[in-house]
Amino acid sequence: MERSVRLIPFMDKDIIIIGGGPSGLSTALHLCKIAPHLAPRILILEKEYYPRFKLCAGGLTIDAENILQKLGLDVSEVPHVDTDDIRFDFQSKGLNIRIPKRHALRIIRRDEFDNWLAEKVREAGIEICEGVTVKKITPQSDQVTIETDQGTFHAQIIVGADGSNGITRRAILPNAPVYTARVLEVIAPKYDVIARGAKPDEAISTMNRGIASGKSAPRNDKEAYFEFSPVPNNIAGYVWDFPTQINGEAMRCWGIYDTNILANEQRPSFRETLAKEMKHLGYNLNDYEIKGHPIRWYSPENQMSAPRVLLVGDAAGADPLFGEGISIALGYGAIAAREIQESIQRGEYSFGGYRRRVVRSGLGQTLIARWIIAYIVYPIKWKWFQILLWRMLKPVVIIIAWIFVLNWGKRI
Ligand SMILES: Cc1cc2nc3c(=O)[nH]c(=O)nc-3n(C[C@H](O)[C@H](O)[C@H](O)COP(=O)(O)OP(=O)(O)OC[C@H]3O[C@@H](n4cnc5c(N)ncnc54)[C@H](O)[C@@H]3O)c2cc1C
């Protein structure tokens, strides 16, 4: 039997979600699904206005789509590009992963995707206050006080969905260790535009030189590429090259990811490492605007709650192996919603069992598996190991990926 929660005055709600990215919006939608009567008692505070920019390559894995499908949502309503294959290469040779009878990776733009998800939240009867920046969070024994640039709010429960640099985690866990990856991203034209570029001879000859030297192979516009050649230089990550679209125009999204696991070793310039990979394909990084943002990743050490406060998405910890965070954020939302619903039923908001609930879920299992794999494949940085892994162990890698990395979305 659900206990009644005390009546809330103006600007107060029972549940306030800080941040309207995929983790906050997913928490709201899952709460609505399992306890529809809670919808009017939930408020999302978002500092930006939709559609707002979010630096992200927008790769949605099968798990993101499975979670959205279970919510009754069809993500094909969002403008997207589908890739037939995902390639994992070391110096342009490696393995490709294909999923039978479906695309391997769906690529969306985050302004469009988050705006669409926010619309679904509003349609479910949940209020989103845009343009409200949370400045201070004070959990107390009977409520949480949330000070913003638009006034003070109170809630019984708050969900910190405010991303890698969020204020909620810093408020409740000021001294906890933080593991963050560094990431850079650029949007560039498609290969054929580069080949026909302003200095076509230079671009084509650079590309041909790259191909002739075995450093790059001709690439397919329908594939997403992960290139692990930076690993022997102590960059514990990869360079990616995905197809994307901006306002309907086909483009490529390039970027570089480094978990920072090897941060104590000597490392080359991060920017130059990306520039070098792009140059093999005829791109000059200086021609494009480069943007960076950290990703806070999951470690078994990460704390995820305090009395009356839960963390979801990047605030709790994204995937350390690839920096994948959209499906992970959607998954946290499902788990946090169950934790909140049961807490409201009990009238007890310590959230002491939340981390255990995450760890035991399909999400927790994939996060732990990816954390272990990251600590194996990146520190063993010898070239021969990378060649063996990506070029010769294809069946082993595919089985591990299928069992431990993908397909968890059905088990949350
Ligand atoms: C360069 C780059 C490329 C990436 N590529 C991929 C990819 O291809 N696939 C993938 O799965 N993941 C990718 N990620 C990771 C992914 O973007 C994140 O994991 C994901 O956005 C996490 O969602 P979230 O809801 O936890 O946080 P966010 O998406 O960061 O949302 C947080 C929200 O909180 C709001 N907010 C923050 N502070 C406050 C405040 N004080 N008050 C009110 N609101 C606040 C923000 O405006 C934002 O809307 C990438 C990340 C980067 C940096």
Side-chain angles (χ1 to χ4, degrees), residues 17-25 45-48 50 52-61 64 105 107 110 114 132-135 160-168 170 183-185 238 240 242 253 255-256 291-296 312-316 318-319 322-330:
I17 299 173
I18 300 171
S23 62
L25 298 169
L45 301 178
E46 167 54 51
K47 71 174 177 183
E48 306 286 347
Y50 300 105
R52 58 102 178 83
F53 174 79
K54 164 74 181 93
L55 190 69
C56 183
L60 291 185
T61 56
L105 197 66
I107 290 145
R110 285 292 299 280
D114 290 20
V132 178
T133 302
V134 173
K135 300 282 189 187
D162 43 355
S164 289
N165 287 332
I167 189 171
T168 318
R170 283 182 278 131
V183 197
L184 297 176
E185 182 177 301
Y238 58 87
W240 79 82
F242 290 178
C253 171
I256 182 163
K291 292 185 177 156
H293 195 278
I295 300 179
R296 179 169 191 255
V312 291
D314 282 9
D319 156 36
F322 298 114
E324 189 205 340
I326 305 173
S327 67
I328 305 289
L330 296 171

Side-chain angles (χ1 to χ4, degrees), residues 11-118:
M11 285 181 92
D12 292 4
K13 288 274 179 179
D14 291 330
I15 304 159
I16 291 186
I17 299 173
I18 300 171
S23 62
L25 298 169
S26 167
T27 307
L29 286 167
H30 280 94
L31 271 168
C32 234
K33 184 180 169 198
I34 59 176
H37 63 283
L38 290 177
R41 293 154 61 177
I42 305 170
L43 175 65
I44 300 179
L45 301 178
E46 167 54 51
K47 71 174 177 183
E48 306 286 347
Y49 291 87
Y50 300 105
R52 58 102 178 83
F53 174 79
K54 164 74 181 93
L55 190 69
C56 183
L60 291 185
T61 56
I62 186 170
D63 295 298
E65 290 190 55
N66 283 341
I67 295 169
L68 291 167
Q69 207 172 20
K70 280 166 84 179
L71 284 168
L73 303 181
D74 178 6
V75 72
S76 61
E77 291 169 10
V78 181
H80 60 269
V81 176
D82 287 342
T83 71
D84 300 334
D85 298 74
I86 309 176
R87 282 199 62 92
F88 293 92
D89 285 347
F90 182 76
Q91 294 182 343
S92 299
K93 286 193 206 122
L95 58 93
N96 66 320
I97 291 191
R98 202 167 252 254
I99 302 181
K101 297 192 192 138
R102 55 161 288 141
H103 48 275
L105 197 66
R106 170 158 291 179
I107 290 145
I108 48 79
R109 296 300 300 158
R110 285 292 299 280
D111 53 344
E112 294 166 333
F113 176 78
D114 290 20
N115 186 40
W116 167 81
L117 206 56

Side-chain angles (χ1 to χ4, degrees), residues 335-381:
I335 296 163
R338 279 200 294 277
E339 183 76 12
I340 292 169
Q341 188 229 7
E342 288 175 20
S343 293
I344 290 178
Q345 279 177 349
R346 291 194 308 271
E348 187 272 315
Y349 307 123
S350 69
F351 297 129
Y354 174 57
R355 188 163 72 152
R356 197 165 45 244
R357 186 186 281 263
V358 170
V359 166
R360 287 183 181 167
S361 69
L363 169 67
Q365 286 155 16
T366 193
L367 285 172
I368 291 168
R370 292 176 195 217
W371 178 81
I372 294 169
I373 297 170
Y375 272 95
I376 296 171
V377 299
Y378 294 137
I380 306 180
K381 58 201 180 200

